[in-house]
Amino acid sequence: MTYKFAYGDEAGETGFKFGQGSTIYFVATLILTNHPDELRSYLENFKRQRYLTQKQELHFRKTPDHKRVLFLKPLVKFDLPIYSLAVDKRALSNEFQRLAKVDFYAWTFAELIQRIDALHETKVVLDEISDPSKNIRALKRLLRARLKAEVYYERITRITMNKSHREPALQIADMISGAIYRYIHEGDHRFYRLIDSQTTLWHI
């Protein structure tokens, strides 16, 4: 089965200055769907039931543990394949340390996207970070270099970035990415176990 929409978020930091703020792991995650309005409605209903305003953004790192569980557990009911790539930056060659942050971000998402066979004429929306146009250009360049042109255009119709407060599905991607990162970084399985049946997780 293929999917027309993919929403992505990252967790961790792209730098290599360990001990000075750089994280050991960087995790890139995409959630796939053919029904994005269902995800938006789910988030809207969750906020209403938990007495949150619709303007309040949901972020894994700011959400209490019990609400993380309440949010993630029902996602198993959705047709929502999750694909994630966890990179242990310590295992990478020294040449990666010379990459600009935008290039390492693009490299990680390119590595993830090229592994996913369930993309077909898919619109990819990533959580917006600094200098979005530069990030998108770098990502497209890497994907086109790795995939044959016909494969690239068959899989992807558009890659864009958006703010999570403008695209509720990105808040769901954030919650999922955060759960995966917590599992990878700390071995904390409490939240990841709620979504692991839907998740394909690769390690580098």
Side-chain angles (χ1 to χ4, degrees), residues 6-26:
Y7 299 91
D9 196 22
E10 79 289 341
E13 204 270 336
T14 54
F16 285 80
K17 295 181 179 179
F18 307 123
Q20 300 181 43
S22 297
T23 58
I24 293 172
Y25 298 99
F26 184 72

Side-chain angles (χ1 to χ4, degrees), residues 17 38 58 70 73 81 84 110 114 125 134 142 156 198:
K17 295 181 179 179
E38 290 183 358
L58 213 59
L70 290 172
K73 192 173 183 179
S84 191
Q114 72 176 9
V125 183
K134 188 174 182 181
L142 282 172
I156 297 170
Q198 298 160 274

Side-chain angles (χ1 to χ4, degrees), residues 88-146:
D88 183 343
K89 292 182 287 183
R90 299 168 301 182
L92 299 177
S93 63
N94 290 336
E95 65 185 63
F96 281 90
Q97 299 183 26
R98 296 190 290 271
L99 288 179
K101 289 187 176 183
V102 62
D103 291 323
F104 182 73
Y105 171 92
W107 175 84
T108 306
F109 268 100
E111 280 285 331
L112 174 61
I113 289 171
Q114 72 176 9
R115 294 169 184 235
I116 303 174
D117 294 329
L119 303 176
H120 180 71
E121 298 180 351
T122 303
K123 178 183 178 182
V124 178
V125 183
L126 303 176
D127 187 36
E128 185 173 308
I129 57 177
S130 60
D131 204 346
S133 60
K134 188 174 182 181
N135 279 281
I136 292 171
R137 285 197 302 271
L139 178 54
K140 287 180 177 179
R141 184 179 66 249
L142 282 172
L143 282 172
R144 287 168 180 162
R146 295 177 185 203

Side-chain angles (χ1 to χ4, degrees), residues 76-92:
V76 71
K77 300 176 183 178
F78 290 88
D79 180 14
L80 188 69
I82 300 164
Y83 294 88
S84 191
L85 178 65
V87 180
D88 183 343
K89 292 182 287 183
R90 299 168 301 182
L92 299 177

Side-chain angles (χ1 to χ4, degrees), residues 61-80:
R61 60 185 176 84
K62 295 181 180 179
T63 302
D65 286 354
H66 72 284
K67 286 186 179 179
R68 291 169 175 168
V69 173
L70 290 172
F71 182 84
L72 293 169
K73 192 173 183 179
L75 292 180
V76 71
K77 300 176 183 178
F78 290 88
D79 180 14
L80 188 69

